[in-house]
Amino acid sequence: MNSLRNLLLDAQQTGLAIGHFNISDLVLLKAVFSAARELNVPVLVGLSEGEREFMGVRESAALVRTLREEFDFPIFLNADHTHSLAKGLEAAKAGYDSIVFDLSALPFEENIRQTKQAVEALKSIHPSMLVEGEIGDIGTGSEIHETSPDLKKGLSTPEEAKQFVDSTGVDILAPAVGNMHGMLRSMVDGETKKHLDIPRIAAIKKAAGVFLTLHGGSGTDDGDFLKAIAAGINIIHINTELRVAWRHGLEEGLAKHPDEVVPYKILPPAVDAVKQVVVSRLRLFNDKRHFAQAT
């Protein structure tokens, strides 16, 4: 089984990106895993602190590890948006493959100081764990928003990216490049799309020289995804799109079986709805022909 680092190197060299999908229950995990196996591409599943609290830190790790071993398949686990070293150490001890140590809400210099400490502490426990840091402001909450925040104020710069990476030793960087967590209602309705600052991504990639993650990918224009991958994005996070599909699928299952009380008879439409989203995103992120067209 290839390591996550090697798979990221392979993706970078071939002009692809690894899809990262958040889970908070078995429906989402089944859907993501089924989609990745159908397309035979590696996949990252992530859990935020809240999602880990709901599913269990070690329980989530055990589920993903079991799928990887039973099916000999490259599915990896990320501790998404971890805001304290204590929570990070908990994930490292549980065997997570990567962690997003996110102190982007702090002043830049304090973010650097604490992230550097976290990199050293986490790798002392789990040497092969990939540590990701975050800079800039992309908002909070993988939810449906009525209005958009002013993202221009929190955009990351190449100079900040280089300083942060050089000072902290992170393996992966998550910059603010026009992306944002969550989706506007107009995006859910298909009326608008997110658009990214592609030249900024390319400049940050050149300056930082590490793997780059795009957080808040839900609702992004497909063409912008392709250009972002060509500019240096290696991991793309999708969460809100899955949550919307999960809810619609659940509502469909309840409507089809109004008197049913057996969960495994109600939930299949939710699995199918989420899987459709994951398949469409993984196809986009892993299509070399799209990469050629984007460049």
Side-chain angles (χ1 to χ4, degrees), residues 1 4 6 61 70 74 79 85 101 105 110-111 113 126 134 155 158 167 174 177 211 222 232 238 271 277-278 281:
M1 177 69 66
L4 178 57
N6 286 341
E70 180 179 351
L85 183 54
F101 191 71
E110 186 62 18
N111 185 3
R113 188 185 71 81
H126 189 346
E134 184 168 328
L155 292 175
S167 300
V177 289
F211 300 123
D222 282 3
I238 303 291
V271 176
V277 174
V278 178
R281 287 315 192 190

Side-chain angles (χ1 to χ4, degrees), residues 3-15 18 211 234:
S3 68
L4 178 57
R5 182 185 294 278
N6 286 341
L7 286 170
L8 283 167
L9 284 170
D10 290 344
Q12 183 163 264
Q13 291 167 1
T14 53
I18 293 181
F211 300 123
N234 308 109

Side-chain angles (χ1 to χ4, degrees), residues 163-189:
Q163 181 184 351
F164 187 86
V165 170
D166 289 348
S167 300
T168 62
V170 293
D171 305 288
I172 307 168
L173 179 67
V177 289
N179 46 325
M180 66 169 239
H181 281 297
M183 296 172 68
L184 298 178
R185 190 160 301 281
S186 58
M187 294 172 184
V188 177
D189 296 336

Side-chain angles (χ1 to χ4, degrees), residues 84-111:
S84 72
L85 183 54
K87 293 289 186 181
L89 294 173
E90 188 179 33
K93 291 174 182 176
Y96 280 58
D97 302 290
S98 62
I99 181 170
V100 180
F101 191 71
D102 178 12
L103 298 184
S104 58
L106 295 179
F108 185 66
E109 293 296 338
E110 186 62 18
N111 185 3

Side-chain angles (χ1 to χ4, degrees), residues 1-19 36 40-44 68 72-77 97 128 130 172 211 233-235 285-286 288:
M1 177 69 66
N2 246 333
S3 68
L4 178 57
R5 182 185 294 278
N6 286 341
L7 286 170
L8 283 167
L9 284 170
D10 290 344
Q12 183 163 264
Q13 291 167 1
T14 53
L16 308 177
I18 293 181
N40 195 30
V41 296
V43 70
L44 259 167
R68 183 162 57 201
D72 190 26
F73 193 85
I75 179 172
F76 297 91
L77 184 62
D97 302 290
S128 63
L130 300 184
I172 307 168
F211 300 123
I233 290 293
N234 308 109
I235 303 170
F285 303 159
N286 288 276
K288 294 179 183 179

Side-chain angles (χ1 to χ4, degrees), residues 159-228:
E159 294 77 18
E160 288 172 337
K162 178 174 175 50
Q163 181 184 351
F164 187 86
V165 170
D166 289 348
S167 300
T168 62
V170 293
D171 305 288
I172 307 168
L173 179 67
V177 289
N179 46 325
M180 66 169 239
H181 281 297
M183 296 172 68
L184 298 178
R185 190 160 301 281
S186 58
M187 294 172 184
V188 177
D189 296 336
E191 299 168 359
T192 60
K193 296 285 185 182
K194 295 177 189 174
H195 290 282
L196 307 171
D197 189 333
I198 305 302
R200 188 178 297 269
I201 293 172
I204 288 173
K205 183 71 171 187
K206 183 177 179 180
V210 295
F211 300 123
L212 295 184
T213 295
L214 181 76
H215 285 266
S218 293
T220 300
D221 176 76
D222 282 3
D224 277 29
F225 272 140
L226 302 179
K227 293 173 185 175

